[in-house]
Coordinates of all heavy atoms in Angstrom, one line a residue:
M123 N 27.1 -36.3 11.6 CA 26.7 -35.0 11.2 C 27.5 -33.9 11.9 O 27.2 -33.7 13.1 CB 25.2 -34.8 11.4 CG 24.3 -35.4 10.4 SD 24.0 -34.4 9.0 CE 22.7 -33.3 9.6
F124 N 28.4 -33.2 11.2 CA 29.1 -32.1 11.7 C 29.9 -32.4 13.0 O 30.4 -31.5 13.6 CB 28.2 -30.9 12.0 CG 27.4 -30.5 10.8 CD1 26.0 -30.7 10.8 CD2 28.0 -30.1 9.6 CE1 25.2 -30.4 9.6 CE2 27.2 -29.8 8.5 CZ 25.9 -29.9 8.5
G125 N 30.0 -33.7 13.4 CA 30.8 -34.1 14.5 C 30.2 -33.7 15.9 O 30.8 -33.9 16.9
L126 N 29.0 -33.0 15.9 CA 28.4 -32.6 17.2 C 27.2 -33.5 17.4 O 26.2 -33.4 16.6 CB 28.1 -31.2 17.1 CG 27.8 -30.6 18.5 CD1 29.0 -30.5 19.4 CD2 27.2 -29.2 18.4
Q127 N 27.3 -34.3 18.5 CA 26.2 -35.2 18.8 C 25.7 -34.8 20.2 O 26.4 -34.2 21.0 CB 26.6 -36.6 18.7 CG 26.9 -37.1 17.3 CD 27.8 -38.3 17.2 OE1 28.1 -39.0 18.2 NE2 28.2 -38.7 16.0
P128 N 24.4 -35.3 20.5 CA 23.9 -35.0 21.8 C 24.8 -35.5 22.9 O 24.9 -34.8 24.0 CB 22.6 -35.8 21.8 CG 22.2 -35.9 20.4 CD 23.5 -35.9 19.6
T129 N 25.5 -36.6 22.7 CA 26.5 -37.1 23.8 C 27.6 -36.0 24.0 O 28.0 -35.8 25.1 CB 27.1 -38.4 23.3 OG1 27.5 -38.3 22.0 CG2 26.1 -39.5 23.5
H130 N 28.0 -35.3 22.9 CA 29.0 -34.3 23.1 C 28.5 -33.2 23.9 O 29.2 -32.6 24.8 CB 29.4 -33.8 21.7 CG 30.2 -34.8 20.9 ND1 30.2 -34.8 19.5 CD2 31.0 -35.8 21.3 CE1 31.0 -35.8 19.1 NE2 31.4 -36.5 20.2
L131 N 27.2 -32.8 23.7 CA 26.6 -31.7 24.5 C 26.6 -32.0 25.9 O 26.8 -31.2 26.8 CB 25.2 -31.4 23.9 CG 25.1 -30.7 22.6 CD1 23.7 -30.6 22.1 CD2 25.8 -29.3 22.6
I132 N 26.3 -33.3 26.2 CA 26.2 -33.8 27.6 C 27.6 -33.7 28.2 O 27.8 -33.2 29.4 CB 25.6 -35.2 27.7 CG1 24.1 -35.2 27.3 CG2 25.8 -35.8 29.1 CD1 23.5 -36.5 26.9
I133 N 28.6 -34.1 27.5 CA 30.0 -34.1 28.0 C 30.4 -32.6 28.3 O 31.0 -32.3 29.3 CB 31.0 -34.7 27.0 CG1 30.7 -36.3 26.9 CG2 32.4 -34.5 27.3 CD1 31.3 -36.9 25.7
I134 N 30.0 -31.7 27.3 CA 30.4 -30.3 27.5 C 29.7 -29.8 28.8 O 30.3 -29.1 29.6 CB 29.9 -29.5 26.2 CG1 30.9 -29.8 25.1 CG2 30.0 -28.0 26.5 CD1 30.3 -29.4 23.7
L135 N 28.4 -30.2 28.9 CA 27.6 -29.7 30.1 C 28.3 -30.2 31.4 O 28.4 -29.5 32.4 CB 26.2 -30.3 30.0 CG 25.1 -29.5 30.7 CD1 24.9 -28.2 30.0 CD2 23.9 -30.3 30.8
V136 N 28.7 -31.5 31.4 CA 29.3 -32.1 32.6 C 30.7 -31.4 32.9 O 30.9 -31.0 34.0 CB 29.6 -33.6 32.4 CG1 30.4 -34.2 33.5 CG2 28.2 -34.3 32.3
V137 N 31.4 -31.1 31.8 CA 32.7 -30.4 32.0 C 32.5 -29.0 32.5 O 33.1 -28.5 33.5 CB 33.5 -30.4 30.6 CG1 34.7 -29.4 30.8 CG2 34.0 -31.8 30.3
A138 N 31.5 -28.3 32.0 CA 31.1 -27.0 32.4 C 30.7 -27.0 33.9 O 31.1 -26.1 34.7 CB 30.0 -26.4 31.6
L139 N 29.9 -28.1 34.2 CA 29.5 -28.2 35.6 C 30.7 -28.4 36.6 O 30.7 -27.8 37.6 CB 28.5 -29.5 35.7 CG 27.5 -29.5 36.8 CD1 26.4 -28.5 36.4 CD2 26.9 -30.9 36.9
L140 N 31.6 -29.2 36.1 CA 32.8 -29.4 37.0 C 33.7 -28.2 37.1 O 34.2 -27.9 38.1 CB 33.7 -30.6 36.4 CG 33.0 -32.0 36.4 CD1 33.8 -33.0 35.6 CD2 32.9 -32.4 37.9
L141 N 33.8 -27.4 36.0 CA 34.7 -26.3 35.9 C 34.1 -25.1 36.7 O 34.8 -24.4 37.5 CB 34.9 -25.8 34.5 CG 35.9 -26.7 33.7 CD1 36.0 -26.2 32.3 CD2 37.3 -26.6 34.3
F142 N 32.8 -24.9 36.5 CA 32.2 -23.6 37.1 C 31.3 -23.9 38.3 O 31.0 -23.0 39.0 CB 31.4 -22.9 36.0 CG 32.2 -22.6 34.8 CD1 32.0 -23.3 33.6 CD2 33.2 -21.6 34.8 CE1 32.8 -23.0 32.5 CE2 33.9 -21.3 33.7 CZ 33.7 -22.0 32.5
G143 N 30.9 -25.2 38.4 CA 30.0 -25.5 39.5 C 28.5 -25.2 39.1 O 28.3 -24.4 38.2
P144 N 27.6 -25.9 39.8 CA 26.2 -25.8 39.3 C 25.6 -24.3 39.5 O 24.7 -23.9 38.7 CB 25.4 -26.7 40.3 CG 26.5 -27.5 40.9 CD 27.8 -26.8 40.9
S145 N 26.1 -23.5 40.4 CA 25.6 -22.2 40.6 C 25.9 -21.3 39.5 O 25.2 -20.3 39.3 CB 26.1 -21.6 41.9 OG 27.5 -21.5 41.8
K146 N 27.0 -21.6 38.7 CA 27.4 -20.7 37.6 C 26.6 -21.0 36.3 O 26.6 -20.2 35.4 CB 28.9 -20.8 37.4 CG 29.7 -20.2 38.5 CD 29.9 -18.7 38.2 CE 31.1 -18.2 38.9 NZ 31.1 -17.2 39.8
L147 N 26.0 -22.2 36.3 CA 25.4 -22.6 35.0 C 24.4 -21.6 34.5 O 24.4 -21.3 33.3 CB 24.8 -24.0 35.1 CG 25.8 -25.2 34.8 CD1 25.1 -26.5 34.8 CD2 26.5 -25.0 33.5
P148 N 23.4 -21.2 35.3 CA 22.5 -20.2 34.7 C 23.2 -19.0 34.1 O 22.7 -18.5 33.1 CB 21.6 -19.8 35.9 CG 21.8 -21.0 36.9 CD 23.2 -21.5 36.7
E149 N 24.2 -18.5 34.8 CA 25.0 -17.4 34.2 C 25.6 -17.7 32.9 O 25.6 -16.9 32.0 CB 26.1 -17.0 35.2 CG 25.6 -16.2 36.4 CD 26.7 -15.9 37.4 OE1 27.8 -15.6 36.9 OE2 26.5 -16.1 38.6
I150 N 26.2 -18.9 32.8 CA 26.8 -19.3 31.5 C 25.7 -19.4 30.4 O 25.9 -18.9 29.3 CB 27.5 -20.7 31.7 CG1 28.7 -20.5 32.7 CG2 28.0 -21.2 30.3 CD1 29.2 -21.9 33.2
G151 N 24.6 -20.0 30.8 CA 23.5 -20.1 29.8 C 23.1 -18.7 29.4 O 22.8 -18.4 28.2
K152 N 23.0 -17.8 30.3 CA 22.6 -16.4 30.0 C 23.6 -15.7 29.1 O 23.2 -15.1 28.1 CB 22.5 -15.6 31.3 CG 21.1 -14.9 31.5 CD 21.1 -14.0 32.7 CE 20.8 -14.7 34.0 NZ 20.9 -13.8 35.2
A153 N 24.9 -15.9 29.4 CA 25.9 -15.3 28.6 C 25.9 -15.9 27.2 O 26.1 -15.1 26.2 CB 27.3 -15.6 29.3
M154 N 25.7 -17.2 27.1 CA 25.6 -17.8 25.8 C 24.5 -17.3 25.0 O 24.6 -17.0 23.8 CB 25.5 -19.3 25.9 CG 26.9 -20.0 26.0 SD 26.8 -21.8 26.4 CE 26.2 -22.4 24.8
G155 N 23.3 -17.2 25.7 CA 22.1 -16.6 25.0 C 22.4 -15.2 24.5 O 22.0 -14.9 23.4
K156 N 23.0 -14.4 25.4 CA 23.3 -13.0 25.0 C 24.2 -13.0 23.8 O 24.0 -12.2 22.9 CB 24.0 -12.4 26.2 CG 23.9 -10.9 26.2 CD 24.6 -10.3 27.4 CE 25.0 -8.8 27.2 NZ 26.2 -8.4 27.9
T157 N 25.3 -13.9 23.8 CA 26.2 -13.9 22.7 C 25.5 -14.2 21.4 O 25.7 -13.6 20.3 CB 27.3 -15.0 22.9 OG1 27.9 -14.7 24.2 CG2 28.4 -14.9 21.9
I158 N 24.6 -15.2 21.5 CA 23.8 -15.7 20.3 C 22.9 -14.5 19.8 O 22.9 -14.2 18.6 CB 23.0 -16.9 20.5 CG1 24.0 -18.1 20.7 CG2 22.0 -17.2 19.4 CD1 23.4 -19.3 21.4
R159 N 22.3 -13.8 20.7 CA 21.4 -12.7 20.4 C 22.2 -11.6 19.7 O 21.8 -11.0 18.7 CB 20.7 -12.2 21.6 CG 19.3 -12.6 21.7 CD 18.4 -11.8 22.7 NE 19.1 -11.6 24.0 CZ 18.9 -12.4 25.0 NH1 18.2 -13.5 24.8 NH2 19.5 -12.2 26.1
E160 N 23.4 -11.3 20.3 CA 24.2 -10.2 19.7 C 24.7 -10.6 18.3 O 24.7 -9.8 17.4 CB 25.4 -10.0 20.7 CG 25.0 -9.0 21.8 CD 26.1 -8.9 22.8 OE1 27.2 -9.5 22.6 OE2 25.9 -8.3 23.9
F161 N 25.0 -11.9 18.2 CA 25.4 -12.4 16.9 C 24.3 -12.2 15.8 O 24.5 -11.7 14.7 CB 25.8 -13.9 17.0 CG 26.3 -14.5 15.8 CD1 27.5 -14.1 15.2 CD2 25.6 -15.5 15.1 CE1 28.0 -14.7 14.1 CE2 26.1 -16.0 14.0 CZ 27.3 -15.7 13.5
Q162 N 23.1 -12.6 16.2 CA 21.9 -12.4 15.3 C 21.7 -11.0 15.0 O 21.4 -10.6 13.9 CB 20.7 -13.1 15.9 CG 20.8 -14.6 15.9 CD 19.7 -15.3 16.7 OE1 19.1 -14.7 17.6 NE2 19.4 -16.5 16.3
T163 N 21.8 -10.1 16.0 CA 21.6 -8.7 15.8 C 22.6 -8.1 14.8 O 22.3 -7.3 14.0 CB 21.7 -7.9 17.2 OG1 20.8 -8.6 18.1 CG2 21.3 -6.5 17.0
G164 N 23.9 -8.6 15.0 CA 24.9 -8.2 14.1 C 24.6 -8.5 12.7 O 24.8 -7.7 11.8
I165 N 24.1 -9.8 12.5 CA 23.8 -10.2 11.1 C 22.7 -9.4 10.6 O 22.7 -8.9 9.4 CB 23.4 -11.7 11.2 CG1 24.7 -12.6 11.4 CG2 22.7 -12.1 9.9 CD1 24.3 -14.0 11.6
K166 N 21.7 -9.1 11.4 CA 20.5 -8.3 11.0 C 21.0 -6.9 10.5 O 20.6 -6.4 9.5 CB 19.6 -8.2 12.2 CG 18.1 -8.2 11.8 CD 17.3 -8.1 13.0 CE 15.8 -8.1 12.8 NZ 15.2 -7.9 14.1
E167 N 21.9 -6.3 11.4 CA 22.4 -4.9 11.1 C 23.2 -4.9 9.8 O 23.1 -4.0 9.0 CB 23.2 -4.4 12.2 CG 22.3 -3.8 13.3 CD 23.1 -3.5 14.6 OE1 24.4 -3.5 14.5 OE2 22.5 -3.2 15.6
A168 N 24.0 -6.0 9.6 CA 24.8 -6.1 8.4 C 23.9 -6.2 7.2 O 24.2 -5.6 6.2 CB 25.8 -7.3 8.5
T169 N 22.9 -7.0 7.3 CA 21.9 -7.2 6.2 C 21.2 -5.9 5.9 O 21.1 -5.5 4.7 CB 20.9 -8.3 6.5 OG1 21.6 -9.4 7.1 CG2 20.2 -8.7 5.3
Q170 N 20.8 -5.2 6.9 CA 20.1 -3.9 6.7 C 21.1 -2.9 6.1 O 20.7 -2.1 5.2 CB 19.6 -3.4 8.1 CG 18.3 -4.0 8.5 CD 17.8 -3.6 9.8 OE1 18.6 -3.1 10.6 NE2 16.6 -3.9 10.1
G171 N 22.3 -2.9 6.6 CA 23.3 -1.9 6.0 C 23.5 -2.2 4.6 O 23.6 -1.3 3.8
F172 N 23.5 -3.5 4.2 CA 23.6 -3.9 2.8 C 22.5 -3.4 1.9 O 22.7 -2.7 0.9 CB 23.8 -5.4 2.7 CG 23.9 -5.9 1.3 CD1 25.1 -5.6 0.6 CD2 22.9 -6.5 0.6 CE1 25.2 -6.1 -0.7 CE2 23.0 -6.9 -0.7 CZ 24.2 -6.7 -1.4
S173 N 21.2 -3.6 2.4 CA 20.1 -3.1 1.7 C 20.0 -1.6 1.6 O 19.6 -1.1 0.6 CB 18.8 -3.7 2.2 OG 18.7 -3.4 3.6
D174 N 20.5 -0.9 2.7 CA 20.6 0.5 2.6 C 21.5 1.0 1.5 O 21.2 1.9 0.8 CB 21.0 1.1 4.0 CG 19.9 1.1 5.0 OD1 18.8 0.9 4.6 OD2 20.2 1.4 6.2
E175 N 22.6 0.3 1.4 CA 23.6 0.6 0.4 C 23.0 0.5 -1.0 O 23.2 1.3 -1.9 CB 24.8 -0.3 0.5 CG 26.0 0.4 1.1 CD 27.2 -0.5 1.3 OE1 27.6 -1.2 0.4 OE2 27.6 -0.6 2.5
V176 N 22.2 -0.6 -1.2 CA 21.6 -0.9 -2.5 C 20.6 0.2 -2.8 O 20.6 0.7 -3.9 CB 20.9 -2.3 -2.4 CG1 20.0 -2.4 -3.7 CG2 21.9 -3.4 -2.3
K177 N 19.9 0.7 -1.8 CA 18.9 1.7 -2.0 C 19.6 3.0 -2.4 O 19.2 3.8 -3.2 CB 18.1 1.9 -0.7 CG 16.8 1.1 -0.6 CD 16.1 1.4 0.6 CE 15.5 0.1 1.3 NZ 15.3 0.2 2.7
T178 N 20.7 3.3 -1.7 CA 21.5 4.5 -2.0 C 22.0 4.5 -3.4 O 21.9 5.5 -4.1 CB 22.7 4.7 -1.0 OG1 22.2 4.5 0.3 CG2 23.3 6.0 -1.1
D179 N 22.5 3.3 -3.8 CA 22.9 3.2 -5.2 C 21.8 3.5 -6.2 O 22.0 4.1 -7.2 CB 23.5 1.8 -5.4 CG 24.9 1.6 -4.9 OD1 25.4 2.7 -4.5 OD2 25.4 0.5 -4.9
A180 N 20.6 3.0 -5.9 CA 19.5 3.2 -6.8 C 19.1 4.6 -6.8 O 18.7 5.2 -7.9 CB 18.3 2.4 -6.2
A181 N 19.3 5.4 -5.7 CA 18.9 6.8 -5.7 C 19.9 7.6 -6.5 O 19.6 8.6 -7.0 CB 19.0 7.3 -4.2
K182 N 21.2 7.0 -6.6 CA 22.2 7.7 -7.4 C 22.0 7.6 -8.9 O 22.5 8.4 -9.7 CB 23.6 7.1 -7.1 CG 24.2 7.8 -5.9 CD 25.6 7.1 -5.7 CE 26.0 7.1 -4.2 NZ 27.0 6.1 -3.9
T183 N 21.2 6.6 -9.3 CA 20.9 6.4 -10.7 C 20.3 7.7 -11.3 O 19.3 8.2 -10.7 CB 20.0 5.3 -11.0 OG1 20.4 4.2 -10.2 CG2 19.9 4.9 -12.4
P184 N 20.8 8.3 -12.4 CA 20.3 9.6 -12.8 C 18.8 9.5 -13.2 O 18.4 8.5 -13.9 CB 21.1 9.9 -14.1 CG 22.0 8.7 -14.3 CD 21.9 7.8 -13.1
A185 N 18.0 10.4 -12.7 CA 16.6 10.4 -13.0 C 16.4 10.9 -14.4 O 17.3 11.6 -14.9 CB 15.9 11.3 -12.0
P186 N 15.3 10.6 -15.1 CA 15.1 11.1 -16.4 C 15.1 12.6 -16.4 O 14.6 13.2 -15.4 CB 13.7 10.5 -16.8 CG 13.2 9.8 -15.7 CD 14.3 9.6 -14.6
S187 N 15.6 13.2 -17.4 CA 15.7 14.7 -17.4 C 14.4 15.4 -17.2 O 13.4 14.9 -17.8 CB 16.3 15.2 -18.7 OG 17.6 14.7 -18.8
A188 N 14.3 16.4 -16.4 CA 13.1 17.2 -16.2 C 13.4 18.6 -16.6 O 14.5 19.1 -16.6 CB 12.7 17.1 -14.7
C189 N 12.3 19.3 -17.0 CA 12.4 20.7 -17.5 C 12.9 21.5 -16.3 O 12.5 21.4 -15.2 CB 11.0 21.1 -17.9 SG 11.0 22.9 -18.2
K190 N 13.8 22.4 -16.6 CA 14.4 23.3 -15.6 C 13.4 24.3 -15.2 O 13.6 25.0 -14.2 CB 15.7 23.9 -16.1 CG 16.8 22.9 -16.2 CD 18.1 23.6 -16.7 CE 19.3 22.7 -16.7 NZ 19.2 21.5 -17.6
S191 N 12.4 24.6 -16.0 CA 11.4 25.6 -15.7 C 10.2 25.1 -15.1 O 9.8 25.6 -14.0 CB 11.0 26.3 -17.0 OG 10.1 27.3 -16.8
C192 N 9.6 24.0 -15.7 CA 8.3 23.5 -15.1 C 8.4 22.2 -14.4 O 7.5 21.8 -13.7 CB 7.2 23.5 -16.2 SG 7.5 22.1 -17.4
G193 N 9.6 21.5 -14.6 CA 9.8 20.3 -13.9 C 9.2 19.1 -14.5 O 9.3 18.0 -14.0
K194 N 8.5 19.2 -15.7 CA 7.9 18.1 -16.4 C 9.0 17.3 -17.0 O 10.0 17.9 -17.5 CB 6.9 18.6 -17.4 CG 5.7 19.3 -16.9 CD 4.5 18.3 -16.8 CE 3.4 18.8 -16.0 NZ 2.8 20.0 -16.4
P195 N 8.8 16.0 -17.1 CA 9.9 15.2 -17.7 C 10.1 15.5 -19.2 O 9.1 15.8 -19.9 CB 9.4 13.7 -17.6 CG 8.1 13.8 -16.8 CD 7.7 15.2 -16.7
L196 N 11.3 15.5 -19.6 CA 11.6 15.9 -21.0 C 11.5 14.6 -21.9 O 11.7 13.5 -21.4 CB 13.0 16.5 -21.2 CG 13.2 17.8 -20.5 CD1 14.7 18.2 -20.5 CD2 12.3 18.9 -21.1
A197 N 11.2 14.8 -23.2 CA 11.0 13.7 -24.1 C 12.3 13.0 -24.3 O 12.3 11.8 -24.4 CB 10.5 14.2 -25.4
A198 N 13.4 13.7 -24.3 CA 14.7 13.1 -24.4 C 15.7 13.8 -23.4 O 15.5 14.9 -23.0 CB 15.3 13.4 -25.8
A199 N 16.7 13.0 -23.0 CA 17.6 13.5 -22.0 C 18.4 14.7 -22.5 O 18.8 15.6 -21.7 CB 18.6 12.4 -21.6
D200 N 18.6 14.8 -23.8 CA 19.3 16.0 -24.4 C 18.4 16.9 -25.1 O 18.9 17.7 -26.0 CB 20.5 15.5 -25.3 CG 19.9 14.6 -26.4 OD1 18.7 14.2 -26.4 OD2 20.7 14.3 -27.4
A201 N 17.1 17.0 -24.7 CA 16.2 17.9 -25.4 C 16.6 19.3 -25.2 O 17.0 19.7 -24.1 CB 14.8 17.6 -24.9
K202 N 16.5 20.1 -26.2 CA 16.9 21.5 -26.1 C 15.8 22.4 -25.5 O 16.1 23.4 -24.9 CB 17.3 22.1 -27.5 CG 18.5 21.3 -28.1 CD 19.8 21.9 -27.6 CE 21.0 21.3 -28.3 NZ 21.2 19.9 -28.0
F203 N 14.6 22.0 -25.8 CA 13.4 22.8 -25.3 C 12.4 21.9 -24.7 O 12.3 20.7 -25.0 CB 12.8 23.5 -26.5 CG 13.7 24.5 -27.1 CD1 14.4 24.2 -28.3 CD2 13.8 25.8 -26.6 CE1 15.3 25.2 -28.8 CE2 14.6 26.8 -27.1 CZ 15.4 26.4 -28.3
C204 N 11.7 22.4 -23.7 CA 10.7 21.7 -23.0 C 9.4 21.6 -23.9 O 9.0 22.6 -24.5 CB 10.3 22.3 -21.7 SG 8.9 21.6 -20.9
A205 N 8.8 20.4 -24.0 CA 7.6 20.2 -24.8 C 6.4 20.8 -24.1 O 5.4 21.2 -24.7 CB 7.4 18.8 -25.1
E206 N 6.5 21.0 -22.8 CA 5.3 21.5 -22.0 C 5.3 23.0 -22.0 O 4.2 23.6 -22.3 CB 5.4 21.0 -20.6 CG 5.2 19.5 -20.4 CD 3.7 19.1 -20.6 OE1 2.8 19.9 -20.3 OE2 3.5 18.0 -21.1
C207 N 6.4 23.6 -21.7 CA 6.4 25.1 -21.5 C 7.3 25.8 -22.5 O 7.3 27.0 -22.6 CB 6.8 25.5 -20.1 SG 8.5 25.1 -19.7
G208 N 8.1 25.0 -23.3 CA 8.9 25.6 -24.3 C 10.2 26.3 -23.7 O 11.0 26.9 -24.5
A209 N 10.5 26.1 -22.5 CA 11.7 26.7 -21.9 C 12.9 26.1 -22.5 O 13.0 24.8 -22.6 CB 11.7 26.6 -20.4
A210 N 14.0 26.8 -22.7 CA 15.2 26.3 -23.3 C 15.9 25.5 -22.1 O 16.0 26.0 -21.0 CB 16.1 27.4 -23.8
Q211 N 16.5 24.4 -22.5 CA 17.2 23.6 -21.5 C 18.7 23.7 -21.7 O 19.2 23.1 -22.7 CB 16.7 22.1 -21.6 CG 15.2 21.9 -21.5 CD 14.7 22.3 -20.2 OE1 15.2 21.9 -19.2 NE2 13.6 23.1 -20.2
T212 N 19.3 24.5 -21.0 CA 20.8 24.8 -21.2 C 21.6 24.1 -20.1 O 21.1 23.9 -19.0 CB 21.1 26.3 -21.2 OG1 20.5 26.9 -20.1 CG2 20.6 26.9 -22.4
Ligands
ZN556 ZN1 8.9 23.0 -19.0

C-alpha cells in the first residue's frame, strides 16, 4: 500500500535518531506537526477563498429589475412603467 509501511517509519525514525540525536527528536516532531498544521491551514484558506469567489460571482448576477422610484420589483426586466407607482423606467 503506497510503499510506506510501519517498518519504513521505524527505519526513518532510527535514521533521524542517528542524524540528529535523541535530544533533537521532539523539535523535529514539533516542526513536522507545525508543517502539517500550516499545510492544513493553507488548504482551508484556499477552500474559503474559492467559496468566497463563488459568492462574489453570485452577487454579480443581475438582480431582477426594480422600480427606480419606489424600488418594487418590476414585472419585466424591460418594463417601461412601474406597476406599483407608475413611474417611467428610463
Ligand atoms: Zn415604482
